[in-house]
Amino acid sequence: MNVLVIGSGAREHALCRSLSLDPTVTALHCAPGNAGIGEVAELHPVDALDGKAVSALATELGAQLVIVGPEAPLVAGVADAVREAGIPVFGPSKEAAQLEGSKAFAKDVMAAAGVPTARSYVCTTPAEAATALDAFGPPYVVKDDGLAAGKGVVVTDDLEAAKAHAAGCERVVIEEFLDGPEVSLFAVTDGETVVPLRPAQDFKRALDGDEGPNTGGMGAYSPLPWADPKLVDEVMETVLQPTVDELRRRGTPFSGLLYAGLAITGRGVRVIEFNARFGDPETQVVLARLRTPLAGLLMAAATGNLADLPPLRWSDEAAVTVVVASHNYPGTPRTGDPISGLDEVAAEDAPHAYVLHAGTRRDGDAVVSAGGRVLSVTATGEDLAQARERAYRAVARIGLDGSQHRTDIAAKAAAEA
Ligand code: AMP
Ligand code: GLY
């Protein structure tokens, strides 16, 4: 199979890594990619938001499957353009991707499908926002309606900060605070059949101890030893299948990756958000554990054949990933700094630990930083403690001036397991 992956993050590197290990994949392309992806796939420059350019590239390469990684191209209709060119694509249509593109749309779908989520108001004026904030009380949860790369959400006890965030957005969703641990559960779907993957936990805050601002995600681990073994079945029944059924009923079936961000509250599971694509960095740990070859799974979703797929196979190992971010992330990151230690990780830590690149690019012989989240080090082990130890041993070899990473990824779960 000839496969083209669209995107340039660590998620796309994880996808390409798995695809490169899949014996059915005979040619692997990525556009635009990054320095690390270039080691496993052939890179092509493309504007990932331009559907015409992406479908022209896919046609030219003879791609038999196109996988659209990030949300922005999906919301821009890139999957539709590729589908119109007659090429199977893993990723939802522009309309179905509104599940991530608009938090208000997602709330409407959940209400129609009876999916449990936080009570909320959609507000377009400061007066409406003030009334909604008052109705819920602190902690305040204020979400920009549109796409914001994980940074559009403010959770705060400070009423003035909550109002200020609301005032900076055209349309906001203000909602009830959900207390309890968060879980990310991904499902592969063809619009009808839903195949859940294994749950993971992300660390959204920038600093240790869940302090600091929200980010796109600073690390992740899987499995979740503390979670109820029935969690996946419950989420399938109350969240994933009803949401997929509702979108099909509306005439806008969702095919691709449905990502449920969940809070496990004292009153049960609640949806915090939906995403219309693989999560980053959770994908790094989920794919590290998946034994079923990836291309066939994603192709089955793209062509409506998931019902015929045998059950997925999983490794019993645990996986941990730690994100190394640039100086000043999640603010405007500093870029262009040389990254050292990549060869040492490859020589000393593989195959149990490896680097997945995000914001990196080649500069002559050097690899330099080119974004906020620069790379993520992923490791597997017999249990979370071993995976964690291997991941941090490799992180310690990476040199990047001014970089930051959390030191407590999976620490609590590993200690309790
Ligand atoms: P989102 O972009 O919707 O995933 O929100 C980013 C992060 O903000 C989530 O991962 C949570 O940590 C936090 N958050 C969002 N909504 C809520 C809520 N209703 N209650 C508590 N925390 C929330
Ligand atoms: N890890 C959070 C996200 O992918 O949105």
Side-chain angles (χ1 to χ4, degrees):
M1 198 190 306
N2 181 335
V3 183
L4 168 62
V5 176
I6 302 301
S8 60
R11 161 189 50 215
E12 284 75 28
H13 195 175
L15 289 164
C16 285
R17 179 179 184 275
S18 291
L19 291 165
S20 74
L21 299 171
D22 179 338
T24 68
V25 175
T26 47
L28 182 58
H29 303 276
C30 183
N34 60 38
I37 298 175
E39 290 171 18
V40 290
E42 192 181 327
L43 301 187
H44 307 272
V46 82
D47 175 359
L49 297 177
D50 181 344
K52 275 208 188 94
V54 171
S55 69
L57 176 66
T59 304
E60 182 194 318
L61 295 173
Q64 292 159 297
L65 173 66
V66 175
I67 300 163
V68 182
E71 61 275 20
L74 292 166
V75 169
V78 167
D80 306 80
V82 176
R83 227 170 257 129
E84 275 160 29
I87 302 171
V89 53
F90 184 80
S93 68
K94 177 180 178 152
E95 280 176 312
Q98 282 302 304
L99 207 51
E100 172 164 5
S102 165
K103 296 203 186 268
F105 175 82
K107 285 289 184 186
D108 187 60
V109 169
M110 285 189 266
V115 170
T117 185
R119 287 178 300 123
S120 65
Y121 295 103
V122 180
C123 307
T124 51
T125 66
E128 281 174 14
T131 307
L133 291 168
D134 200 39
F136 289 126
Y140 303 103
V141 181
V142 183
K143 302 186 172 186
D144 192 339
D145 181 53
L147 286 185
K151 291 173 261 175
V153 178
V154 165
V155 181
T156 178
D157 284 322
D158 179 347
L159 182 58
E160 291 315 311
K163 284 184 179 167
H165 184 56
C169 310
E170 218 169 285
R171 190 150 85 131
V172 287
V173 173
I174 291 179
E175 65 179 34
E176 160 195 25
F177 178 78
L178 297 174
D179 207 3
E182 286 179 39
V183 172
S184 301
L185 183 61
F186 302 162
V188 173
T189 177
D190 56 12
E192 197 160 348
T193 301
V194 181
V195 177
L197 306 186
R198 291 285 161 95
Q201 188 170 50
D202 180 19
F203 292 75
K204 288 256 166 68
R205 300 283 186 144
L207 307 175
D208 282 3
D210 295 330
E211 302 284 339
N214 264 322
T215 69
M218 295 299 290
Y221 67 95
S222 177
L224 312 180
W226 50 268
D228 184 341
K230 293 197 290 293
L231 178 70
V232 174
D233 288 347
E234 184 190 339
V235 176
M236 266 296 280
E237 198 177 310
T238 61
V239 175
L240 298 167
Q241 192 71 57
T243 300
V244 167
D245 291 347
E246 171 62 18
L247 285 163
R248 192 174 64 249
R249 196 189 63 72
R250 291 181 180 214
T252 53
F254 185 104
S255 89
L257 196 290
L258 178 57
Y259 164 144
L262 307 160
I264 315 298
T265 77
R267 293 177 294 130
V269 173
R270 299 281 184 278
V271 173
I272 292 185
E273 63 160 349
F274 281 128
N275 293 317
R277 38 83 196 168
F278 280 99
D280 190 342
E282 299 96 309
T283 300
Q284 287 85 302
V285 290
V286 173
L287 293 186
R289 303 182 60 221
L290 180 67
R291 285 290 163 268
T292 300
L294 187 61
L297 169 63
L298 303 189
M299 183 59 126
T303 52
N305 293 314
L306 270 183
D308 301 330
L309 199 81
L312 298 181
R313 288 180 291 111
W314 295 93
S315 129
D316 290 331
E317 284 193 320
V320 170
T321 193
V322 179
V323 171
V324 176
S326 297
H327 181 69
N328 205 39
Y329 178 76
T332 307
R334 195 173 86 198
T335 59
D337 289 307
I339 304 165
S340 63
L342 298 170
D343 292 341
E344 286 81 347
V345 174
E348 304 293 334
D349 303 309
H352 300 297
Y354 47 88
V355 174
L356 297 169
H357 292 228
T360 70
R361 66 179 168 80
R362 285 215 160 267
D363 183 5
D365 282 343
V367 175
V368 302
S369 61
R373 290 189 292 178
V374 176
L375 52 86
S376 78
V377 174
T378 303
T380 53
E382 271 173 35
D383 54 19
L384 287 173
Q386 189 179 44
R388 220 179 102 69
E389 191 190 299
R390 286 172 169 168
Y392 279 108
R393 194 184 314 146
V395 167
R397 296 189 211 276
I398 304 289
L400 171 62
D401 195 32
S403 72
Q404 37 163 337
H405 64 267
R406 280 184 62 159
T407 66
D408 63 348
I409 304 301
K412 190 158 167 273
E416 286 169 2

